[in-house]
Amino acid sequence: MKSPNSMLSGLPTTIFTVMSALAVQHDAINLGQGFPDTEGPADMIEAACAALRDGRNQYPPLTGLPELRGAVARSNARFYGLAVDPATEVVVTSGATEALTASLMALVDPGDEVILLEPLYDTYAPVIRALGAIPRPVRLTPPGWSLPRAELAAAFGPKTKALMLNSPMNPTGKVFDLDELGFIAGLLARHDVYAICDEVYEHLTFGTARHIPLMTLPGMRPRCLRIGSAGKSFSLTGWKVGYVTAPAPIAACVAKAHQLLTFTTAPNLQRAVAMGLDKDDAYFATLAADMQAQRDLLSRGLRAAGFTVLPCDGSYFVVADIRSAGFAGSDAAFCRALTERCRVAAIPVSAFYDSADPPDHLVRFAFCKQKPVLTEAVARIHAGLPGLLQAGA
C-alpha cells in the first residue's frame, strides 16, 4: 500500500494527549490541558438550548449568523474602537483553531514564509507546512519573554508573507505592550507582510496589563486578521465557536477556506455566543479578576515549593522553572515524574518549540481550575516533591 500523507503521518502524538492519558492513569489533577473545570454562563447555555427548539437547525449562512457577526462587530467597537462591517469583515468558524487554519489558507501560497514567535501554540507550524509554506521561528527570551528585535527584523525577507502573533500568549502568559507592537507594525509595513493575530485570551489580562489588538495601530487595519474565541471568553471550550475579523477582501478568502474545512458552525451555539458578546463590561471584568485570583493562588503555592514562577500577565497559564526547585533533568522527565509521584499533570514548555534545542527547564501549569482543585494540587506538589527530587538526583 502507498503511504498516507508523509507530513501528517510523521506528526507525533501531541503532548496534551500523552499527559492527559498519564493523568487519568494516575488519578492526577490535570493542570496540563487548558480548559476550565466549571461551566460557562448559565444564561448562554439556556439560550443555546432554547435555540435548538425554535426550528432553525438547518445550515446557517456560510460566514455566520447575522446575530453573531453583528455582535462581533459591536465587540470590536466597544473594546477597541474598531469600526467593522459585520456583513463583509467577519467570518464565524468552528473554533479558533479552524480560524487560524482558514486564515493561513487565505494568505499563503507554497514557498511563502511565515514568521512565528516561540514558544508557540502547537498547531501553527504543522498547518503552515501542510500548505507548502515555510515556518520561520524567532525565539522570545525568558524569563520576561522579551522580544528579540534584531532577530525578528532579520527574519523578514522577500518571501515573508505573514507573521503570527499570539497575545495574550500561550504558553508564556505574555501580553505584548504598545512599544513592542509598534516595532512589529513597523516591520510589517516595511516588508508588506500580513499579521494573523491569535487573540483568544483577549479578555484574560491581569493587573495593569491591557490587551491591544495589533489591528488598532496606525496602518495595520488593512493587513491584520484578528481571531477571537467564545471558548476562552465564556469558559465554553467544547462549543468550538471562533470568529475572524479582517478586511473585506481577506475575509472573503477566509470564508472560502472555511467553506472547504467545515462550511458552517452550529446555529444554536452561534446565537448563544452573540448574546454573550453583548454582556456588560462587568462580566468580562469579573472573568479576568477571578482568573487572576486563581493565577495568584497557584503561583504562591509553586513559589512556596521552591519554584521560580515566570511573569504572567494574561491567558490560562503560568510557567515555572524546575531547576530552581532542584530538578536537574528535562522538563518532559519532570512532568512525567510529577504526574506519577505527586499526581499533578503539567506540560513541558519544550513541546511549544518548532526549532531545534528548545529550553528544557520550564513547565507550564494551567490555573483555569476551581480554587479547591488548585489548593489540592499545590498540597500534592508540596507533599510529593521531596521524594520526586530525591529519586531524580
Side-chain angles (χ1 to χ4, degrees), residues 229-249:
S229 165
K232 302 303 191 297
S233 294
F234 303 106
S235 302
L236 293 164
T237 58
W239 281 20
K240 298 299 292 180
V241 178
Y243 21 88
V244 183
T245 301

Side-chain angles (χ1 to χ4, degrees), residues 12-330:
T13 303
T14 72
I15 190 64
F16 306 102
T17 300
V18 171
M19 294 310 303
S20 292
L22 196 64
V24 171
Q25 180 183 342
H26 292 278
D27 191 27
I29 294 173
N30 191 350
L31 302 187
Q33 205 161 4
F35 60 87
D37 60 353
T38 55
E39 288 294 293
D43 57 351
M44 290 179 65
I45 294 171
E46 288 302 316
C49 292
L52 284 171
R53 301 187 182 97
D54 71 356
R56 293 174 61 187
N57 289 297
Q58 306 310 319
Y59 293 131
L62 165 68
T63 55
L65 288 176
E67 297 99 308
L68 180 50
R69 285 185 279 124
V72 171
R74 289 190 296 275
S75 181
N76 274 293
R78 172 161 59 131
F79 291 106
Y80 311 117
L82 287 167
V84 172
D85 182 348
T88 63
E89 296 186 312
V90 177
V91 180
V92 177
T93 59
S94 294
T97 300
E98 194 228 322
L100 290 162
T101 301
S103 296
L104 282 163
M105 289 174 67
L107 291 180
V108 304
D109 289 308
D112 286 341
E113 297 181 359
V114 181
I115 295 174
L116 308 173
L117 300 178
E118 289 183 320
L120 48 81
Y121 183 51
D122 65 333
T123 65
Y124 293 171
V127 172
I128 291 166
R129 290 193 176 96
L131 295 172
I134 302 165
R136 294 295 186 204
V138 175
R139 291 190 181 184
L140 302 187
T141 307
W145 304 109
S146 57
L147 187 68
R149 300 191 181 205
E151 291 89 339
L152 180 59
F156 283 79
K159 294 184 178 181
T160 308
K161 177 66 75 68
L163 175 144
M164 300 194 74
L165 178 66
N166 180 204
S167 183
M169 192 180 193
N170 172 16
T172 67
K174 177 183 176 64
V175 178
F176 286 80
D177 63 28
L178 186 58
D179 184 60
E180 292 171 317
L181 294 172
F183 181 79
I184 293 170
L187 291 172
L188 297 176
R190 189 178 316 143
H191 295 276
D192 189 22
V193 170
Y194 293 102
I196 299 173
C197 302
D198 180 352
E199 302 179 17
V200 298
Y201 298 103
E202 61 183 318
H203 295 298
L204 294 170
T205 58
F206 314 131
T208 59
R210 292 292 179 268
H211 173 59
I212 304 170
L214 183 64
M215 185 180 277
T216 63
L217 270 63
M220 289 297 102
R221 182 73 167 81
R223 63 178 70 253
C224 286
L225 297 81
R226 199 176 91 76
I227 294 169
S229 165
K232 302 303 191 297
S233 294
F234 303 106
S235 302
L236 293 164
T237 58
W239 281 20
K240 298 299 292 180
V241 178
Y243 21 88
V244 183
T245 301
I250 301 174
C253 285
V254 172
K256 291 176 182 179
H258 171 57
Q259 182 176 13
L260 297 177
L261 290 168
T262 62
F263 175 60
T264 191
T265 300
N268 67 311
L269 301 181
Q270 289 192 52
R271 291 167 67 188
V273 172
M275 185 192 79
L277 286 173
D278 284 333
K279 283 181 174 293
D280 61 23
D281 291 358
Y283 164 80
F284 296 98
T286 299
L287 176 72
D290 289 347
M291 204 65 71
Q292 179 174 338
Q294 291 161 221
R295 176 204 66 174
D296 293 346
L297 189 161
L298 179 58
S299 297
R300 283 194 302 269
L302 292 172
R303 289 190 187 100
F307 296 94
T308 297
V309 178
L310 279 60
C312 166
D313 290 325
S315 82
Y316 281 165
F317 310 108
V318 292
V319 172
D321 186 335
I322 59 175
R323 290 179 185 168
S324 60
F327 190 83
S330 71

Side-chain angles (χ1 to χ4, degrees), residues 347-363:
I347 299 291
V349 170
S350 60
F352 295 91
Y353 286 79
D354 185 62
S355 56
D357 300 318
D360 66 352
H361 62 288
L362 302 173
V363 170

